[in-house]
Amino acid sequence: MDTSYLIIIFSLSVLLSYVFDLLSSRYKTPSVILLLASGMLMRQVTNYFAFQLPYVDTILPTLGTLGLILIVLEGALELELTGEKLGMIRRAFWASLSSILVTSLLMASLFYVLMEASFFKCLVAATPFAVISSAVAVPGSNNLNPTSREFVVYESSLSDILGVMIFNFLVYNASGGILSIVSFAKDTIIMVIISLICCFFLLYLISKISHRIKFLPIISVLFLVYAVSRIYQLSPLLLILVFGLFLNNTELFIRGRLDRIFKNELFEKELDQFKNLTAEGAFIVRTFFFLLFGYASDFYTLIEPDALIVSFLLLLILYSVRSGVLRLSLPGSINPVVFIAPRGLITVLLYLSIPDNLKLVGFRDGILMAVVLLTALVMMVGVISYRDDTPVD
């Protein structure tokens, strides 16, 4: 294909996604639905002209990993660790952790009943479906009252982190046993120490680099440490989370003489620029991930009766557990927070990264796409139908 056509496709895709984002803010329609639909429509067009985009299956996991890093970093840069928010953070943490654990076990039990596979394989397949996507949830909560939106931001961001850590624990410690738990705890502690060292190093770079190209090298260092940590089967998302929290709450960690060493008078302005760069990078990656995921999906597998039945059963489990957990976690009304539990990039990426020896044989391909679309639709209907602006406190 001619380079000019590739540039046209790239530019139109970004502009289309931007329009979808504007429509999402105005009409409360998740942009992920529009991007997936556009991808599926693009598949029909290319089929008509007997042309297929190359390397889609190879590009998707890479885009997903880049998107995962940027989305978690973007979410962490929004979180403030102040005394008055400790209660909110604690409730969001237990809500996300308990939702993932209970939902995964119930979904795994469903897979175990429906399919001839070990319960462990069923649990590995179920875990991606138990993780809320902050990439979809946070934009979907923009029209909520401040307290509800803040809870969604904390809960979905923590769900991303905890979901990936639990999934990696299952995949990399398939043998199970107490030794696996000890190894996982040791690796987590190592990753926290590495993260703190990287935080001070990267913060020092931010304050000392005077070159006009400043933030891309820093993000590249994050990508590098993430990739190396993943090779050694550590929990690299901890680095991203800790760095984002550290950067947005430096007043808690950098005081006195350290403040003069690691920060300069332009720090707050540069932090805002870094947040904008991260948000726009996440937007670009998310755009092409969902477009290509929609393109790679077969519409006819989406409407298979078996896939739809299993998808609705998964949604029944998902929202039943969520309703119970939120009633225990939130002192006030759980509406409309209960409806904001979309599955998206995290779910797709984790599901695609299941090793071949742990995949469920005969699992319908359309279930993944159906769950992503249906949870986005439920969120849209829940947010649109909500009219009471009473804060959840």
Side-chain angles (χ1 to χ4, degrees):
M1 183 182 290
D2 188 84
T3 305
S4 299
Y5 289 110
L6 289 176
I7 295 175
I8 291 172
I9 292 173
F10 182 89
S11 302
L12 287 177
S13 298
V14 173
L15 292 173
L16 186 68
S17 181
Y18 183 70
V19 172
F20 287 167
D21 215 45
L22 294 176
L23 293 175
S24 175
S25 301
R26 182 169 182 177
Y27 298 105
K28 305 179 183 178
T29 303
S31 59
V32 62
I33 297 177
L34 302 174
L35 288 172
L36 289 172
S38 298
M40 288 188 282
L41 179 61
M42 186 168 62
R43 172 70 172 268
Q44 301 305 313
V45 172
T46 56
N47 285 345
Y48 178 80
F49 289 104
F51 172 78
Q52 294 295 320
L53 291 178
Y55 310 116
V56 172
D57 292 337
T58 304
I59 296 173
L60 261 180
T62 304
L63 272 179
T65 300
L66 293 177
L68 176 64
I69 296 171
L70 291 172
I71 288 166
V72 171
L73 180 59
E74 181 186 14
L77 287 170
E78 296 295 326
L79 303 181
E80 296 181 3
L81 302 178
T82 57
E84 61 270 17
K85 294 186 179 180
L86 287 179
M88 174 76 74
I89 296 172
R90 186 169 56 250
R91 291 197 299 269
F93 175 82
W94 288 114
S96 58
L97 179 61
S98 55
S99 291
I100 292 172
L101 294 177
V102 177
T103 302
S104 296
L105 290 172
L106 290 178
M107 289 183 176
S109 300
L110 174 65
F111 294 158
Y112 184 73
V113 170
L114 296 177
M115 311 186 72
E116 296 181 359
S118 67
F119 186 80
F120 183 78
K121 284 187 176 181
C122 294
L123 185 60
V124 172
T127 301
F129 293 95
V131 183
I132 297 174
S133 173
S134 61
V136 184
V138 173
S141 65
N142 284 337
N143 296 304
L144 305 185
N145 63 68
T147 308
S148 295
R149 184 182 187 280
E150 191 174 43
F151 179 84
V152 171
V153 171
Y154 280 108
E155 183 201 20
S156 59
S157 300
L158 289 169
S159 181
D160 287 347
I161 302 295
L162 294 172
V164 174
M165 290 180 65
I166 292 171
F167 179 82
N168 287 340
F169 171 73
L170 292 174
V171 170
Y172 295 132
N173 299 276
S175 58
I178 188 66
L179 291 179
S180 295
I181 298 176
V182 172
S183 176
F184 179 74
K186 180 195 69 175
D187 292 344
T188 301
I189 293 173
I190 292 173
M191 198 64 234
V192 169
I193 295 172
I194 293 174
S195 300
L196 291 175
I197 294 173
C198 287
C199 284
F200 281 99
F201 173 68
L202 292 173
L203 184 62
Y204 182 79
L205 289 182
I206 291 176
S207 64
K208 298 303 180 182
I209 293 178
S210 57
H211 195 274
R212 61 191 180 90
I213 307 298
K214 172 179 288 192
F215 299 119
L216 283 179
I218 291 171
I219 293 178
S220 297
V221 171
L222 284 176
F223 286 165
L224 177 63
V225 177
Y226 178 95
V228 173
S229 302
R230 191 172 180 183
I231 290 173
Y232 288 96
Q233 299 182 3
L234 298 173
S235 301
L237 274 186
L238 270 179
L239 165 67
I240 309 302
L241 177 66
V242 171
F243 178 68
L245 291 173
F246 186 88
L247 206 59
N248 201 45
N249 299 273
T250 51
E251 66 280 357
L252 296 179
F253 310 103
I254 307 297
R255 298 181 180 181
R257 181 179 296 179
L258 290 178
D259 189 73
R260 294 191 295 273
I261 297 174
F262 290 99
K263 296 172 68 175
N264 56 37
E265 63 276 5
L266 299 176
F267 176 76
E268 294 300 330
K269 179 181 178 181
E270 292 177 338
L271 179 58
D272 288 337
Q273 293 176 349
F274 185 68
K275 288 180 179 180
N276 290 335
L277 177 63
T278 303
E280 296 197 9
F283 173 80
I284 292 291
V285 175
R286 187 166 57 238
T287 293
F288 287 98
F289 178 84
F290 284 120
L291 279 174
L292 288 179
F293 180 57
Y295 180 87
S297 302
D298 187 348
F299 175 77
Y300 297 103
T301 63
L302 183 64
I303 58 176
E304 287 180 346
D306 290 349
L308 288 176
I309 290 172
V310 174
S311 300
F312 280 113
L313 289 175
L314 292 180
L315 260 64
L316 179 63
I317 293 173
L318 187 161
Y319 289 106
S320 297
V321 172
R322 181 164 180 77
S323 177
V325 167
L326 289 182
R327 290 184 189 280
L328 296 175
S329 303
L330 295 177
S333 171
I334 64 173
N335 185 39
V337 177
V338 68
F339 299 110
I340 303 178
R343 272 49 183 169
L345 187 148
I346 302 290
T347 297
V348 176
L349 179 62
L350 292 183
Y351 181 80
L352 293 178
S353 63
I354 297 176
D356 291 337
N357 64 311
L358 293 178
K359 288 183 178 179
L360 289 179
V361 178
F363 192 85
R364 300 290 186 181
D365 294 334
I367 295 174
L368 182 62
M369 172 68 88
V371 170
V372 171
L373 285 173
L374 290 172
T375 52
L377 287 172
V378 169
M379 181 181 74
M380 179 183 71
V381 173
V383 172
I384 289 176
S385 62
Y386 181 67
R387 290 292 180 267
D388 183 10
D389 288 327
T390 303
V392 178
D393 193 4

